[in-house]
Amino acid sequence: MSCNQDPISSIIKCVYFAAEKHKNQRRKDPEKTPYINHPIGVANILVDEAKVNDINIILAALLHDTVEDTDTSFSEIEENFGPVVRKIVEEVTDDKSLPKEERKRLQIVHAIESSPQAKLVKLADKLFNLRDLNRATPEGWNEERVHEYFVWAKKVVVGLKGTNTYLEKELDSLFQLRSV
Ligand SMILES: Nc1nc2c(ncn2[C@@H]2O[C@H](COP(=O)(O)OP(=O)(O)O)[C@@H](OP(=O)(O)OP(=O)(O)O)[C@H]2O)c(=O)[nH]1
Ligand SMILES: [Mn+2]
């Protein structure tokens, strides 16, 4: 369990675990960037930009899409990284068995009632994805779909406020640039 290991070991074990889980997945950008760049980027935003130094939050950021997008189970997360990390990952995982519209609606509802740890992961996840949309348009997306993502992301972010000044300011300037 992560709490019994030194932080460097935990982080490397976790990056490797996530990389193995996401190994066959690519991002939707024309370059088909390896998917693992996203969870690593979210963790990097938290450490490097938001100055978050809680190991459980960083591990949860690295793992945040493993259950949603791969065959990983919550018990596997708990066995390898402990119950605190499991709880955060649970909070940020969409139920993929629900229709997309319902999943998107639930993210707005769940944002408000999330723990501060889960809110940090969500803020960094949204910041990464919005920056990524500004960098490259996913294949098959048009400008309207990009705009709709910004509009929806803003509704989620409103519920995450009061958590981290830096992340909220970065997100606000992205919304402002799009007049959202
Ligand atoms: N901007 C961007 N996103 C990409 C790209 N490739 C994959 N994604 C992922 O796509 C998701 C957003 O696309 P949608 O069509 O809205 O959602 P869906 O994949 O869940 O159906 C994000 O999931 P998520 O991380 O789970 O976040 P969330 O949007 O569900 O909060 C994001 O990580 C890419 O090249 N650019
Ligand atoms: Mn994500």
mmCIF file of all heavy atoms in Angstrom, residues 27-43:
data_model
loop_
_atom_site.group_PDB
_atom_site.id
_atom_site.type_symbol
_atom_site.label_atom_id
_atom_site.label_comp_id
_atom_site.label_asym_id
_atom_site.label_seq_id
_atom_site.Cartn_x
_atom_site.Cartn_y
_atom_site.Cartn_z
ATOM 1 N N ARG A 27 -4.947 9.352 -27.489
ATOM 2 C CA ARG A 27 -5.788 10.536 -27.429
ATOM 3 C C ARG A 27 -6.481 10.705 -28.790
ATOM 4 O O ARG A 27 -6.121 10.048 -29.770
ATOM 5 C CB ARG A 27 -4.951 11.767 -27.073
ATOM 6 C CG ARG A 27 -4.287 11.667 -25.690
ATOM 7 C CD ARG A 27 -5.255 11.831 -24.554
ATOM 8 N NE ARG A 27 -5.662 13.214 -24.363
ATOM 9 C CZ ARG A 27 -6.624 13.580 -23.519
ATOM 10 N NH1 ARG A 27 -7.269 12.673 -22.807
ATOM 11 N NH2 ARG A 27 -6.938 14.868 -23.398
ATOM 12 N N LYS A 28 -7.457 11.626 -28.817
ATOM 13 C CA LYS A 28 -8.232 11.816 -30.048
ATOM 14 C C LYS A 28 -7.631 12.863 -30.966
ATOM 15 O O LYS A 28 -8.250 13.249 -31.961
ATOM 16 C CB LYS A 28 -9.667 12.245 -29.680
ATOM 17 C CG LYS A 28 -10.440 11.241 -28.821
ATOM 18 C CD LYS A 28 -11.697 11.906 -28.257
ATOM 19 C CE LYS A 28 -12.488 11.009 -27.322
ATOM 20 N NZ LYS A 28 -13.471 11.788 -26.519
ATOM 21 N N ASP A 29 -6.469 13.396 -30.637
ATOM 22 C CA ASP A 29 -5.850 14.422 -31.487
ATOM 23 C C ASP A 29 -5.280 13.775 -32.743
ATOM 24 O O ASP A 29 -5.040 12.565 -32.775
ATOM 25 C CB ASP A 29 -4.760 15.194 -30.704
ATOM 26 C CG ASP A 29 -3.628 14.300 -30.226
ATOM 27 O OD1 ASP A 29 -3.886 13.144 -29.837
ATOM 28 O OD2 ASP A 29 -2.471 14.735 -30.251
ATOM 29 N N PRO A 30 -5.089 14.569 -33.806
ATOM 30 C CA PRO A 30 -4.595 13.998 -35.073
ATOM 31 C C PRO A 30 -3.262 13.257 -34.929
ATOM 32 O O PRO A 30 -3.000 12.308 -35.665
ATOM 33 C CB PRO A 30 -4.441 15.222 -35.981
ATOM 34 C CG PRO A 30 -5.347 16.250 -35.412
ATOM 35 C CD PRO A 30 -5.379 16.013 -33.937
ATOM 36 N N GLU A 31 -2.438 13.666 -33.960
ATOM 37 C CA GLU A 31 -1.149 12.982 -33.745
ATOM 38 C C GLU A 31 -1.293 11.635 -33.041
ATOM 39 O O GLU A 31 -0.329 10.903 -32.894
ATOM 40 C CB GLU A 31 -0.239 13.856 -32.856
ATOM 41 C CG GLU A 31 0.401 15.040 -33.522
ATOM 42 C CD GLU A 31 1.244 15.816 -32.514
ATOM 43 O OE1 GLU A 31 0.644 16.561 -31.719
ATOM 44 O OE2 GLU A 31 2.479 15.643 -32.499
ATOM 45 N N LYS A 32 -2.511 11.376 -32.502
ATOM 46 C CA LYS A 32 -2.754 10.152 -31.720
ATOM 47 C C LYS A 32 -1.735 9.992 -30.582
ATOM 48 O O LYS A 32 -1.074 8.962 -30.422
ATOM 49 C CB LYS A 32 -2.766 8.919 -32.616
ATOM 50 C CG LYS A 32 -3.865 8.972 -33.677
ATOM 51 C CD LYS A 32 -3.934 7.700 -34.496
ATOM 52 C CE LYS A 32 -5.175 7.631 -35.368
ATOM 53 N NZ LYS A 32 -5.418 8.837 -36.196
ATOM 54 N N THR A 33 -1.642 11.044 -29.805
ATOM 55 C CA THR A 33 -0.760 11.048 -28.627
ATOM 56 C C THR A 33 -1.100 9.866 -27.703
ATOM 57 O O THR A 33 -2.277 9.565 -27.514
ATOM 58 C CB THR A 33 -0.990 12.377 -27.865
ATOM 59 O OG1 THR A 33 -0.728 13.461 -28.744
ATOM 60 C CG2 THR A 33 -0.120 12.484 -26.625
ATOM 61 N N PRO A 34 -0.106 9.196 -27.113
ATOM 62 C CA PRO A 34 -0.414 8.130 -26.147
ATOM 63 C C PRO A 34 -1.318 8.658 -25.020
ATOM 64 O O PRO A 34 -1.092 9.760 -24.518
ATOM 65 C CB PRO A 34 0.960 7.744 -25.588
ATOM 66 C CG PRO A 34 1.920 8.099 -26.675
ATOM 67 C CD PRO A 34 1.345 9.334 -27.322
ATOM 68 N N TYR A 35 -2.355 7.897 -24.637
ATOM 69 C CA TYR A 35 -3.322 8.389 -23.646
ATOM 70 C C TYR A 35 -2.659 8.740 -22.323
ATOM 71 O O TYR A 35 -3.064 9.693 -21.642
ATOM 72 C CB TYR A 35 -4.449 7.361 -23.410
ATOM 73 C CG TYR A 35 -5.604 8.015 -22.696
ATOM 74 C CD1 TYR A 35 -6.585 8.696 -23.413
ATOM 75 C CD2 TYR A 35 -5.688 8.030 -21.304
ATOM 76 C CE1 TYR A 35 -7.618 9.356 -22.763
ATOM 77 C CE2 TYR A 35 -6.712 8.687 -20.647
ATOM 78 C CZ TYR A 35 -7.671 9.347 -21.387
ATOM 79 O OH TYR A 35 -8.688 10.022 -20.734
ATOM 80 N N ILE A 36 -1.625 7.981 -21.960
ATOM 81 C CA ILE A 36 -0.972 8.170 -20.653
ATOM 82 C C ILE A 36 -0.429 9.595 -20.484
ATOM 83 O O ILE A 36 -0.275 10.078 -19.357
ATOM 84 C CB ILE A 36 0.139 7.098 -20.432
ATOM 85 C CG1 ILE A 36 0.666 7.114 -18.982
ATOM 86 C CG2 ILE A 36 1.284 7.270 -21.417
ATOM 87 C CD1 ILE A 36 -0.369 6.760 -17.931
ATOM 88 N N ASN A 37 -0.158 10.284 -21.607
ATOM 89 C CA ASN A 37 0.280 11.684 -21.503
ATOM 90 C C ASN A 37 -0.743 12.536 -20.741
ATOM 91 O O ASN A 37 -0.368 13.521 -20.107
ATOM 92 C CB ASN A 37 0.520 12.290 -22.897
ATOM 93 C CG ASN A 37 1.812 11.825 -23.509
ATOM 94 O OD1 ASN A 37 2.231 10.689 -23.320
ATOM 95 N ND2 ASN A 37 2.464 12.698 -24.265
ATOM 96 N N HIS A 38 -2.034 12.155 -20.842
ATOM 97 C CA HIS A 38 -3.078 12.937 -20.159
ATOM 98 C C HIS A 38 -3.025 12.787 -18.626
ATOM 99 O O HIS A 38 -2.855 13.804 -17.938
ATOM 100 C CB HIS A 38 -4.452 12.614 -20.751
ATOM 101 C CG HIS A 38 -5.602 13.092 -19.934
ATOM 102 N ND1 HIS A 38 -5.839 14.429 -19.687
ATOM 103 C CD2 HIS A 38 -6.582 12.417 -19.259
ATOM 104 C CE1 HIS A 38 -6.913 14.550 -18.911
ATOM 105 N NE2 HIS A 38 -7.371 13.356 -18.645
ATOM 106 N N PRO A 39 -3.140 11.562 -18.073
ATOM 107 C CA PRO A 39 -3.037 11.467 -16.601
ATOM 108 C C PRO A 39 -1.700 11.983 -16.046
ATOM 109 O O PRO A 39 -1.680 12.604 -14.972
ATOM 110 C CB PRO A 39 -3.215 9.975 -16.306
ATOM 111 C CG PRO A 39 -3.485 9.294 -17.587
ATOM 112 C CD PRO A 39 -3.532 10.272 -18.695
ATOM 113 N N ILE A 40 -0.610 11.756 -16.769
ATOM 114 C CA ILE A 40 0.679 12.298 -16.282
ATOM 115 C C ILE A 40 0.626 13.822 -16.314
ATOM 116 O O ILE A 40 1.089 14.498 -15.392
ATOM 117 C CB ILE A 40 1.868 11.756 -17.105
ATOM 118 C CG1 ILE A 40 2.043 10.249 -16.870
ATOM 119 C CG2 ILE A 40 3.168 12.481 -16.717
ATOM 120 C CD1 ILE A 40 3.138 9.598 -17.709
ATOM 121 N N GLY A 41 0.029 14.377 -17.369
ATOM 122 C CA GLY A 41 -0.095 15.833 -17.475
ATOM 123 C C GLY A 41 -0.968 16.433 -16.382
ATOM 124 O O GLY A 41 -0.678 17.522 -15.872
ATOM 125 N N VAL A 42 -2.034 15.715 -16.015
ATOM 126 C CA VAL A 42 -2.919 16.190 -14.935
ATOM 127 C C VAL A 42 -2.147 16.201 -13.608
ATOM 128 O O VAL A 42 -2.201 17.184 -12.852
ATOM 129 C CB VAL A 42 -4.196 15.308 -14.848
ATOM 130 C CG1 VAL A 42 -5.013 15.651 -13.601
ATOM 131 C CG2 VAL A 42 -5.043 15.465 -16.111
ATOM 132 N N ALA A 43 -1.400 15.136 -13.346
ATOM 133 C CA ALA A 43 -0.576 15.084 -12.121
ATOM 134 C C ALA A 43 0.487 16.185 -12.141
ATOM 135 O O ALA A 43 0.764 16.832 -11.116
ATOM 136 C CB ALA A 43 0.080 13.705 -11.991
#
